[in-house]
Amino acid sequence: MRTFQQYLLFTFRSVLFWILAFSFMIVIRYFGIFEEKGVSILPKYELPIQDLLLYVGLSSIPFGVFYAAVEFLFDRYLAKNLSLGIIIFTKTFLYLVTLILLVSYVVEYTGYMLDVSLSDERGWWRTNKTFWSIMIYFVIASLVFSFIRIANEKFGRGVFIKMLLGKYRKPQEEKRIFMFLDLKSSTTFAENLGHYKYSQLIQDCFYDLNRIISKYDAEIYQYVGDEAVLSWKYKRGINRNNVVALYFAFNDRIDSRSNYYQEKYGLIPQFKAGIHGGTLMVTEVGSVKKEIAYHGDVINTTARIQSQCNTYNASVLISESLLRDLNLPEEYITKNIDDLLLRGKAQTINIYSIVRE
């Protein structure tokens, strides 16, 4: 679930996108200069620039706000219960109906966009080819915007654009923080619940996780069975202690729905986490199913830190090097576990546990 600030930012981006989309449509409609014999080209109009700006404002700004509002409602209330295809179809239908009403209003208000007025010809929109060409243009534009948003969520903020630009075609060095978040007693739960109900449990847990990750600037790198791998750019992770705050916020989220989990599954899930950060390589891999992959010791070390949670009966373990960069408030209590020689490592690494009062 996005924060209020993130929704404001998305609304701004939505308005900006539709201003550009409407402006591009105006350029196509009113400034086409090429004509061929026997081919009907959109006419060129000599319109004052203030009229064009008025049209863009009357059309794009309300629709941009409406678009963001629809995205907010679907994201907050319907995303969990509907398939991606149904969500896209429903949104597109809503946008189409809204566009018909919006463009109809602009036609009535301006009188020049389609050379027709609602008062002059009843039901003009049913047969007006220019009107429907504009509708198709904006439906395609809305689909493009939706797919860009989906791709951005899939790969992480800004990563999709970087992939389009080819930044990760060659390995790039980045400093990041990773969290391996694993369900406690997962084998026992799977045996008691059965495969189907256990899968529903994992779905519910990760849905609750997804409701809070944006608030803490986290990205989902991978889901592996009952484990989620989260990632931050290093500065974002240490900012506001996001890497630690997210874990306890996730616990709070599950506790707030403890009645739901108890009634449906007869248990309240708990998770353990290992956290570590450092420099590693990021690159684009695959040609059939392209993904962004991280390679380096940071990933392996984080996984092995998490594997020690059961050994030391700890819910959260964090490397000393990362802990030093955080500024944890007094509500968090840290305890030095020891210098551990993790499997596959030549040198020891100092690990701390974290609990909250």
Side-chain angles (χ1 to χ4, degrees):
M1 183 177 66
R2 293 173 174 80
T3 63
F4 177 72
Q5 293 83 357
Q6 288 168 328
Y7 277 115
L8 284 180
L9 180 59
F10 178 76
T11 301
F12 172 77
R13 289 174 177 171
S14 175
V15 170
L16 180 61
F17 175 85
W18 289 107
I19 287 176
L20 293 174
F22 275 80
S23 299
F24 184 64
M25 186 274 292
I26 288 174
V27 170
I28 294 175
R29 168 128 181 94
Y30 293 113
F31 295 94
I33 59 175
F34 299 105
E35 296 184 3
E36 295 182 15
K37 186 177 180 180
V39 179
S40 176
I41 303 297
L42 293 174
K44 179 181 179 182
Y45 290 84
E46 295 295 337
L47 295 173
I49 187 65
Q50 60 267 25
D51 287 351
L52 293 178
L53 292 176
L54 176 63
Y55 166 70
V56 170
L58 287 172
S59 305
S60 59
I61 294 177
F63 189 73
V65 173
F66 171 78
Y67 189 98
V70 170
E71 293 292 326
F72 168 80
L73 292 174
F74 273 82
D75 181 56
R76 191 174 183 88
Y77 300 110
L78 300 174
K80 181 182 178 182
N81 300 317
L82 299 177
S83 67
L84 180 60
I86 292 177
I87 289 175
I88 292 176
F89 175 82
T90 306
K91 287 179 181 177
T92 303
F93 178 76
L94 288 175
Y95 301 148
L96 178 61
V97 172
T98 304
L99 276 168
I100 290 175
L101 297 175
L102 184 61
V103 173
S104 298
Y105 167 76
V106 173
V107 170
E108 175 70 15
Y109 183 80
T110 63
Y112 61 71
M113 189 178 110
L114 300 176
D115 300 326
V116 68
S117 173
L118 292 177
S119 60
D120 295 336
E121 184 181 342
R122 187 177 299 275
W124 58 269
W125 55 271
R126 296 172 184 167
T127 57
N128 191 293
K129 295 180 180 179
T130 303
F131 172 80
W132 285 108
S133 67
I134 292 173
M135 290 301 98
I136 293 173
Y137 167 79
F138 283 116
V139 167
I140 293 175
S142 69
L143 289 174
V144 169
F145 193 38
S146 295
F147 280 116
I148 289 175
R149 179 171 175 265
I150 292 170
N152 203 43
E153 291 178 347
K154 161 69 177 175
F155 294 108
R157 286 183 297 175
V159 175
F160 177 62
I161 299 299
K162 292 176 181 177
M163 288 186 68
L164 289 179
L165 297 176
K167 179 177 180 180
Y168 296 124
R169 294 293 294 173
K170 294 182 179 179
Q172 302 288 322
E173 189 176 75
E174 287 188 3
K175 192 173 184 181
R176 300 189 71 90
I177 299 172
F178 285 85
M179 173 191 287
F180 278 67
L181 192 65
D182 191 31
L183 178 66
K184 291 182 179 180
S185 306
S186 57
T187 302
T188 301
F189 291 163
E191 290 177 353
N192 293 337
L193 294 174
H195 295 307
Y196 180 76
K197 200 137 192 176
Y198 178 71
S199 293
Q200 287 185 312
L201 171 65
I202 299 301
Q203 274 188 320
D204 281 333
C205 289
F206 288 163
Y207 177 77
D208 283 333
L209 177 63
N210 277 256
R211 299 286 284 181
I212 66 167
I213 58 172
S214 294
K215 183 178 180 180
Y216 298 95
D217 285 334
E219 301 170 10
I220 298 292
Y221 172 44
Q222 285 180 335
Y223 295 109
V224 184
D226 52 28
E227 183 178 69
V229 182
L230 283 68
S231 176
W232 291 261
K233 288 187 176 180
Y234 202 88
K235 289 184 178 180
R236 285 180 180 170
I238 63 176
N239 181 41
R240 298 183 294 120
N241 302 304
N242 280 328
V243 293
V244 174
L246 180 142
Y247 173 81
F248 290 100
F250 180 40
N251 278 348
D252 292 340
R253 170 76 183 177
I254 289 179
D255 288 343
S256 69
R257 303 184 68 220
S258 58
N259 291 337
Y260 168 82
Y261 282 104
Q262 192 67 52
E263 291 176 4
K264 186 172 182 179
Y265 303 107
L267 57 90
I268 300 174
Q270 294 181 321
F271 283 78
K272 55 191 176 183
I275 313 173
H276 180 52
T279 302
L280 74 170
M281 304 305 294
V282 53
T283 187
E284 182 181 320
V285 296
S287 56
V288 176
K289 184 179 181 295
K290 290 187 178 181
E291 287 187 353
I292 295 296
Y294 296 97
H295 301 141
D297 184 63
V298 174
I299 291 280
N300 298 329
T301 299
T302 309
R304 288 163 187 162
I305 289 174
Q306 188 266 114
S307 69
Q308 297 298 311
C309 286
N310 289 341
T311 303
Y312 294 96
N313 192 29
S315 295
V316 186
L317 292 177
I318 186 171
S319 63
E320 181 184 35
S321 60
L322 177 57
L323 182 61
R324 284 199 303 264
D325 289 337
L326 298 174
N327 185 24
L328 295 179
E330 293 182 357
E331 64 176 311
Y332 296 107
I333 300 174
T334 61
K335 178 183 178 182
N336 188 6
I337 296 296
D338 205 351
D339 288 334
L340 299 179
L341 182 62
L342 299 178
R343 181 170 53 87
K345 299 280 291 182
Q347 297 180 338
T348 60
I349 180 171
N350 203 7
I351 298 175
Y352 283 74
S353 66
I354 303 176
V355 295
R356 186 179 60 178
E357 291 183 331

mmCIF file with all atom_site columns, all heavy atoms in Angstrom, residues 79-93:
data_model
loop_
_atom_site.group_PDB
_atom_site.id
_atom_site.type_symbol
_atom_site.label_atom_id
_atom_site.label_alt_id
_atom_site.label_comp_id
_atom_site.label_asym_id
_atom_site.label_entity_id
_atom_site.label_seq_id
_atom_site.pdbx_PDB_ins_code
_atom_site.Cartn_x
_atom_site.Cartn_y
_atom_site.Cartn_z
_atom_site.occupancy
_atom_site.B_iso_or_equiv
_atom_site.pdbx_formal_charge
_atom_site.auth_seq_id
_atom_site.auth_comp_id
_atom_site.auth_asym_id
_atom_site.auth_atom_id
_atom_site.pdbx_PDB_model_num
ATOM 1   N N   . ALA A 1 79 ? -7.315  -5.046  -5.451  1.00 0.00 ? 79 ALA A N   1
ATOM 2   C CA  . ALA A 1 79 ? -6.183  -5.722  -6.085  1.00 0.00 ? 79 ALA A CA  1
ATOM 3   C C   . ALA A 1 79 ? -6.048  -7.180  -5.642  1.00 0.00 ? 79 ALA A C   1
ATOM 4   O O   . ALA A 1 79 ? -5.663  -8.047  -6.424  1.00 0.00 ? 79 ALA A O   1
ATOM 5   C CB  . ALA A 1 79 ? -4.889  -4.966  -5.803  1.00 0.00 ? 79 ALA A CB  1
ATOM 6   N N   . LYS A 1 80 ? -6.363  -7.462  -4.393  1.00 0.00 ? 80 LYS A N   1
ATOM 7   C CA  . LYS A 1 80 ? -6.176  -8.815  -3.867  1.00 0.00 ? 80 LYS A CA  1
ATOM 8   C C   . LYS A 1 80 ? -7.188  -9.801  -4.434  1.00 0.00 ? 80 LYS A C   1
ATOM 9   O O   . LYS A 1 80 ? -6.883  -10.985 -4.625  1.00 0.00 ? 80 LYS A O   1
ATOM 10  C CB  . LYS A 1 80 ? -6.269  -8.796  -2.333  1.00 0.00 ? 80 LYS A CB  1
ATOM 11  C CG  . LYS A 1 80 ? -6.054  -10.165 -1.696  1.00 0.00 ? 80 LYS A CG  1
ATOM 12  C CD  . LYS A 1 80 ? -6.201  -10.102 -0.187  1.00 0.00 ? 80 LYS A CD  1
ATOM 13  C CE  . LYS A 1 80 ? -6.033  -11.491 0.418   1.00 0.00 ? 80 LYS A CE  1
ATOM 14  N NZ  . LYS A 1 80 ? -6.210  -11.479 1.899   1.00 0.00 ? 80 LYS A NZ  1
ATOM 15  N N   . ASN A 1 81 ? -8.405  -9.342  -4.708  1.00 0.00 ? 81 ASN A N   1
ATOM 16  C CA  . ASN A 1 81 ? -9.503  -10.253 -5.042  1.00 0.00 ? 81 ASN A CA  1
ATOM 17  C C   . ASN A 1 81 ? -9.763  -10.404 -6.534  1.00 0.00 ? 81 ASN A C   1
ATOM 18  O O   . ASN A 1 81 ? -10.575 -11.236 -6.936  1.00 0.00 ? 81 ASN A O   1
ATOM 19  C CB  . ASN A 1 81 ? -10.794 -9.771  -4.357  1.00 0.00 ? 81 ASN A CB  1
ATOM 20  C CG  . ASN A 1 81 ? -10.652 -9.723  -2.851  1.00 0.00 ? 81 ASN A CG  1
ATOM 21  O OD1 . ASN A 1 81 ? -10.093 -10.627 -2.242  1.00 0.00 ? 81 ASN A OD1 1
ATOM 22  N ND2 . ASN A 1 81 ? -11.143 -8.655  -2.236  1.00 0.00 ? 81 ASN A ND2 1
ATOM 23  N N   . LEU A 1 82 ? -9.116  -9.600  -7.371  1.00 0.00 ? 82 LEU A N   1
ATOM 24  C CA  . LEU A 1 82 ? -9.356  -9.654  -8.810  1.00 0.00 ? 82 LEU A CA  1
ATOM 25  C C   . LEU A 1 82 ? -8.089  -10.018 -9.554  1.00 0.00 ? 82 LEU A C   1
ATOM 26  O O   . LEU A 1 82 ? -6.984  -9.672  -9.130  1.00 0.00 ? 82 LEU A O   1
ATOM 27  C CB  . LEU A 1 82 ? -9.881  -8.302  -9.315  1.00 0.00 ? 82 LEU A CB  1
ATOM 28  C CG  . LEU A 1 82 ? -11.207 -7.807  -8.736  1.00 0.00 ? 82 LEU A CG  1
ATOM 29  C CD1 . LEU A 1 82 ? -11.532 -6.420  -9.287  1.00 0.00 ? 82 LEU A CD1 1
ATOM 30  C CD2 . LEU A 1 82 ? -12.333 -8.783  -9.058  1.00 0.00 ? 82 LEU A CD2 1
ATOM 31  N N   . SER A 1 83 ? -8.246  -10.718 -10.672 1.00 0.00 ? 83 SER A N   1
ATOM 32  C CA  . SER A 1 83 ? -7.089  -11.059 -11.494 1.00 0.00 ? 83 SER A CA  1
ATOM 33  C C   . SER A 1 83 ? -6.589  -9.814  -12.216 1.00 0.00 ? 83 SER A C   1
ATOM 34  O O   . SER A 1 83 ? -7.319  -8.833  -12.380 1.00 0.00 ? 83 SER A O   1
ATOM 35  C CB  . SER A 1 83 ? -7.461  -12.127 -12.522 1.00 0.00 ? 83 SER A CB  1
ATOM 36  O OG  . SER A 1 83 ? -8.372  -11.600 -13.482 1.00 0.00 ? 83 SER A OG  1
ATOM 37  N N   . LEU A 1 84 ? -5.330  -9.873  -12.656 1.00 0.00 ? 84 LEU A N   1
ATOM 38  C CA  . LEU A 1 84 ? -4.729  -8.730  -13.335 1.00 0.00 ? 84 LEU A CA  1
ATOM 39  C C   . LEU A 1 84 ? -5.501  -8.377  -14.602 1.00 0.00 ? 84 LEU A C   1
ATOM 40  O O   . LEU A 1 84 ? -5.724  -7.197  -14.905 1.00 0.00 ? 84 LEU A O   1
ATOM 41  C CB  . LEU A 1 84 ? -3.265  -9.030  -13.673 1.00 0.00 ? 84 LEU A CB  1
ATOM 42  C CG  . LEU A 1 84 ? -2.485  -7.926  -14.394 1.00 0.00 ? 84 LEU A CG  1
ATOM 43  C CD1 . LEU A 1 84 ? -2.440  -6.662  -13.553 1.00 0.00 ? 84 LEU A CD1 1
ATOM 44  C CD2 . LEU A 1 84 ? -1.080  -8.408  -14.725 1.00 0.00 ? 84 LEU A CD2 1
ATOM 45  N N   . GLY A 1 85 ? -5.950  -9.398  -15.352 1.00 0.00 ? 85 GLY A N   1
ATOM 46  C CA  . GLY A 1 85 ? -6.693  -9.146  -16.589 1.00 0.00 ? 85 GLY A CA  1
ATOM 47  C C   . GLY A 1 85 ? -8.000  -8.423  -16.340 1.00 0.00 ? 85 GLY A C   1
ATOM 48  O O   . GLY A 1 85 ? -8.353  -7.485  -17.063 1.00 0.00 ? 85 GLY A O   1
ATOM 49  N N   . ILE A 1 86 ? -8.738  -8.863  -15.312 1.00 0.00 ? 86 ILE A N   1
ATOM 50  C CA  . ILE A 1 86 ? -10.012 -8.221  -14.982 1.00 0.00 ? 86 ILE A CA  1
ATOM 51  C C   . ILE A 1 86 ? -9.779  -6.788  -14.516 1.00 0.00 ? 86 ILE A C   1
ATOM 52  O O   . ILE A 1 86 ? -10.539 -5.876  -14.861 1.00 0.00 ? 86 ILE A O   1
ATOM 53  C CB  . ILE A 1 86 ? -10.764 -9.031  -13.909 1.00 0.00 ? 86 ILE A CB  1
ATOM 54  C CG1 . ILE A 1 86 ? -11.219 -10.380 -14.486 1.00 0.00 ? 86 ILE A CG1 1
ATOM 55  C CG2 . ILE A 1 86 ? -11.959 -8.254  -13.372 1.00 0.00 ? 86 ILE A CG2 1
ATOM 56  C CD1 . ILE A 1 86 ? -11.896 -11.284 -13.487 1.00 0.00 ? 86 ILE A CD1 1
ATOM 57  N N   . ILE A 1 87 ? -8.723  -6.576  -13.734 1.00 0.00 ? 87 ILE A N   1
ATOM 58  C CA  . ILE A 1 87 ? -8.413  -5.222  -13.258 1.00 0.00 ? 87 ILE A CA  1
ATOM 59  C C   . ILE A 1 87 ? -8.132  -4.295  -14.431 1.00 0.00 ? 87 ILE A C   1
ATOM 60  O O   . ILE A 1 87 ? -8.665  -3.182  -14.502 1.00 0.00 ? 87 ILE A O   1
ATOM 61  C CB  . ILE A 1 87 ? -7.209  -5.261  -12.297 1.00 0.00 ? 87 ILE A CB  1
ATOM 62  C CG1 . ILE A 1 87 ? -7.618  -5.920  -10.971 1.00 0.00 ? 87 ILE A CG1 1
ATOM 63  C CG2 . ILE A 1 87 ? -6.681  -3.853  -12.038 1.00 0.00 ? 87 ILE A CG2 1
ATOM 64  C CD1 . ILE A 1 87 ? -6.473  -6.119  -10.009 1.00 0.00 ? 87 ILE A CD1 1
ATOM 65  N N   . ILE A 1 88 ? -7.294  -4.745  -15.369 1.00 0.00 ? 88 ILE A N   1
ATOM 66  C CA  . ILE A 1 88 ? -6.951  -3.907  -16.523 1.00 0.00 ? 88 ILE A CA  1
ATOM 67  C C   . ILE A 1 88 ? -8.187  -3.629  -17.371 1.00 0.00 ? 88 ILE A C   1
ATOM 68  O O   . ILE A 1 88 ? -8.425  -2.499  -17.799 1.00 0.00 ? 88 ILE A O   1
ATOM 69  C CB  . ILE A 1 88 ? -5.857  -4.583  -17.371 1.00 0.00 ? 88 ILE A CB  1
ATOM 70  C CG1 . ILE A 1 88 ? -4.539  -4.621  -16.584 1.00 0.00 ? 88 ILE A CG1 1
ATOM 71  C CG2 . ILE A 1 88 ? -5.655  -3.845  -18.696 1.00 0.00 ? 88 ILE A CG2 1
ATOM 72  C CD1 . ILE A 1 88 ? -3.429  -5.358  -17.299 1.00 0.00 ? 88 ILE A CD1 1
ATOM 73  N N   . PHE A 1 89 ? -9.033  -4.663  -17.612 1.00 0.00 ? 89 PHE A N   1
ATOM 74  C CA  . PHE A 1 89 ? -10.239 -4.489  -18.416 1.00 0.00 ? 89 PHE A CA  1
ATOM 75  C C   . PHE A 1 89 ? -11.198 -3.510  -17.744 1.00 0.00 ? 89 PHE A C   1
ATOM 76  O O   . PHE A 1 89 ? -11.739 -2.608  -18.404 1.00 0.00 ? 89 PHE A O   1
ATOM 77  C CB  . PHE A 1 89 ? -10.934 -5.833  -18.632 1.00 0.00 ? 89 PHE A CB  1
ATOM 78  C CG  . PHE A 1 89 ? -12.252 -5.724  -19.351 1.00 0.00 ? 89 PHE A CG  1
ATOM 79  C CD1 . PHE A 1 89 ? -12.297 -5.622  -20.738 1.00 0.00 ? 89 PHE A CD1 1
ATOM 80  C CD2 . PHE A 1 89 ? -13.450 -5.705  -18.642 1.00 0.00 ? 89 PHE A CD2 1
ATOM 81  C CE1 . PHE A 1 89 ? -13.515 -5.495  -21.396 1.00 0.00 ? 89 PHE A CE1 1
ATOM 82  C CE2 . PHE A 1 89 ? -14.668 -5.590  -19.291 1.00 0.00 ? 89 PHE A CE2 1
ATOM 83  C CZ  . PHE A 1 89 ? -14.692 -5.483  -20.680 1.00 0.00 ? 89 PHE A CZ  1
ATOM 84  N N   . THR A 1 90 ? -11.412 -3.667  -16.445 1.00 0.00 ? 90 THR A N   1
ATOM 85  C CA  . THR A 1 90 ? -12.345 -2.800  -15.723 1.00 0.00 ? 90 THR A CA  1
ATOM 86  C C   . THR A 1 90 ? -11.862 -1.356  -15.717 1.00 0.00 ? 90 THR A C   1
ATOM 87  O O   . THR A 1 90 ? -12.635 -0.417  -15.942 1.00 0.00 ? 90 THR A O   1
ATOM 88  C CB  . THR A 1 90 ? -12.526 -3.297  -14.278 1.00 0.00 ? 90 THR A CB  1
ATOM 89  O OG1 . THR A 1 90 ? -12.922 -4.672  -14.295 1.00 0.00 ? 90 THR A OG1 1
ATOM 90  C CG2 . THR A 1 90 ? -13.586 -2.474  -13.560 1.00 0.00 ? 90 THR A CG2 1
ATOM 91  N N   . LYS A 1 91 ? -10.562 -1.182  -15.457 1.00 0.00 ? 91 LYS A N   1
ATOM 92  C CA  . LYS A 1 91 ? -10.008 0.174   -15.465 1.00 0.00 ? 91 LYS A CA  1
ATOM 93  C C   . LYS A 1 91 ? -10.166 0.806   -16.843 1.00 0.00 ? 91 LYS A C   1
ATOM 94  O O   . LYS A 1 91 ? -10.564 1.969   -16.964 1.00 0.00 ? 91 LYS A O   1
ATOM 95  C CB  . LYS A 1 91 ? -8.525  0.136   -15.084 1.00 0.00 ? 91 LYS A CB  1
ATOM 96  C CG  . LYS A 1 91 ? -8.259  -0.146  -13.623 1.00 0.00 ? 91 LYS A CG  1
ATOM 97  C CD  . LYS A 1 91 ? -6.756  -0.180  -13.383 1.00 0.00 ? 91 LYS A CD  1
ATOM 98  C CE  . LYS A 1 91 ? -6.430  -0.487  -11.933 1.00 0.00 ? 91 LYS A CE  1
ATOM 99  N NZ  . LYS A 1 91 ? -4.962  -0.586  -11.713 1.00 0.00 ? 91 LYS A NZ  1
ATOM 100 N N   . THR A 1 92 ? -9.843  0.041   -17.878 1.00 0.00 ? 92 THR A N   1
ATOM 101 C CA  . THR A 1 92 ? -9.925  0.576   -19.242 1.00 0.00 ? 92 THR A CA  1
ATOM 102 C C   . THR A 1 92 ? -11.349 0.976   -19.584 1.00 0.00 ? 92 THR A C   1
ATOM 103 O O   . THR A 1 92 ? -11.588 2.017   -20.214 1.00 0.00 ? 92 THR A O   1
ATOM 104 C CB  . THR A 1 92 ? -9.418  -0.462  -20.261 1.00 0.00 ? 92 THR A CB  1
ATOM 105 O OG1 . THR A 1 92 ? -8.071  -0.838  -19.930 1.00 0.00 ? 92 THR A OG1 1
ATOM 106 C CG2 . THR A 1 92 ? -9.429  0.115   -21.670 1.00 0.00 ? 92 THR A CG2 1
ATOM 107 N N   . PHE A 1 93 ? -12.323 0.170   -19.155 1.00 0.00 ? 93 PHE A N   1
ATOM 108 C CA  . PHE A 1 93 ? -13.730 0.499   -19.393 1.00 0.00 ? 93 PHE A CA  1
ATOM 109 C C   . PHE A 1 93 ? -14.105 1.803   -18.676 1.00 0.00 ? 93 PHE A C   1
ATOM 110 O O   . PHE A 1 93 ? -14.780 2.668   -19.253 1.00 0.00 ? 93 PHE A O   1
ATOM 111 C CB  . PHE A 1 93 ? -14.622 -0.640  -18.910 1.00 0.00 ? 93 PHE A CB  1
ATOM 112 C CG  . PHE A 1 93 ? -16.094 -0.366  -19.062 1.00 0.00 ? 93 PHE A CG  1
ATOM 113 C CD1 . PHE A 1 93 ? -16.708 -0.447  -20.311 1.00 0.00 ? 93 PHE A CD1 1
ATOM 114 C CD2 . PHE A 1 93 ? -16.862 0.000   -17.961 1.00 0.00 ? 93 PHE A CD2 1
ATOM 115 C CE1 . PHE A 1 93 ? -18.071 -0.179  -20.444 1.00 0.00 ? 93 PHE A CE1 1
ATOM 116 C CE2 . PHE A 1 93 ? -18.218 0.266   -18.092 1.00 0.00 ? 93 PHE A CE2 1
ATOM 117 C CZ  . PHE A 1 93 ? -18.817 0.172   -19.342 1.00 0.00 ? 93 PHE A CZ  1
#
